[in-house]
Amino acid sequence: MKRSTIIELCITFGLIAIATSVWVYFASSQRAQMIPKAGTTFDSFVEDMPPPKRLARVDDGSGQKIIWVGETALLSLPSGPSCYVFDGTGSLIRYNISTGDGEPTTNDLVVAYKSEQISIDAAKTLLIPSTQGR
């Protein structure tokens, strides 16, 4: 093999390695931003996250819940959008940053799209006032 061919192959593989590293870094960074902080409440979540793609109120027999369908992590090849479930007091009870592969929040996502969409302000009025930090 000619020396110039070996150099071209090394450059090509080096560029592929750099591009892959950059992609992994940005995918990890984006996913990290989608993970809520410990002790997150609905009010703090509204301040920290981009607006929801869909917000729904659901009563599943065990109480009222608010389901927030969020962004889809574009760089990490997710199966579906993020989904966050809050109980009637505004406490985050479960979430997943990528739905669609059988995670518990996949069912919540389906229910959210079958339910009537509500606004953030409407969701805030549904929460039990004493737990909203007012």
Side-chain angles (χ1 to χ4, degrees):
M1 206 183 258
K2 291 182 181 179
R3 182 181 168 137
S4 62
T5 305
I6 293 172
I7 292 172
E8 289 171 2
L9 283 173
C10 288
I11 291 172
T12 301
F13 286 124
L15 290 174
I16 290 171
I18 290 170
T20 302
S21 297
V22 169
W23 177 66
V24 167
Y25 170 78
F26 282 111
S28 297
S29 175
Q30 182 185 31
R31 289 177 67 86
Q33 291 173 353
M34 298 173 79
I35 297 172
K37 298 172 188 157
T40 294
T41 63
F42 187 79
D43 287 335
S44 63
F45 192 81
V46 168
E47 293 173 15
D48 293 342
M49 294 293 192
K53 299 297 180 193
R54 183 170 190 86
L55 192 61
R57 182 187 74 74
V58 175
D59 192 340
D60 63 1
S62 65
Q64 176 176 268
K65 294 182 179 53
I66 296 173
I67 301 175
W68 178 298
V69 179
E71 301 277 328
T72 300
L74 300 175
L75 297 175
S76 60
L77 305 175
S79 299
S82 56
C83 185
Y84 307 86
V85 182
F86 297 86
D87 66 13
T89 67
S91 296
L92 181 66
I93 55 174
R94 65 181 165 270
Y95 74 93
N96 199 294
I97 61 174
S98 175
T99 56
D101 289 330
E103 295 86 358
T105 56
T106 300
N107 291 335
D108 297 316
L109 180 71
V110 171
V111 170
Y113 276 101
K114 289 182 178 180
S115 301
E116 182 180 349
Q117 186 166 347
I118 61 174
S119 68
I120 290 173
D121 289 336
K124 286 181 178 183
T125 64
L126 296 171
L127 300 175
I128 298 171
S130 63
T131 61
Q132 291 184 15
R134 294 181 186 178

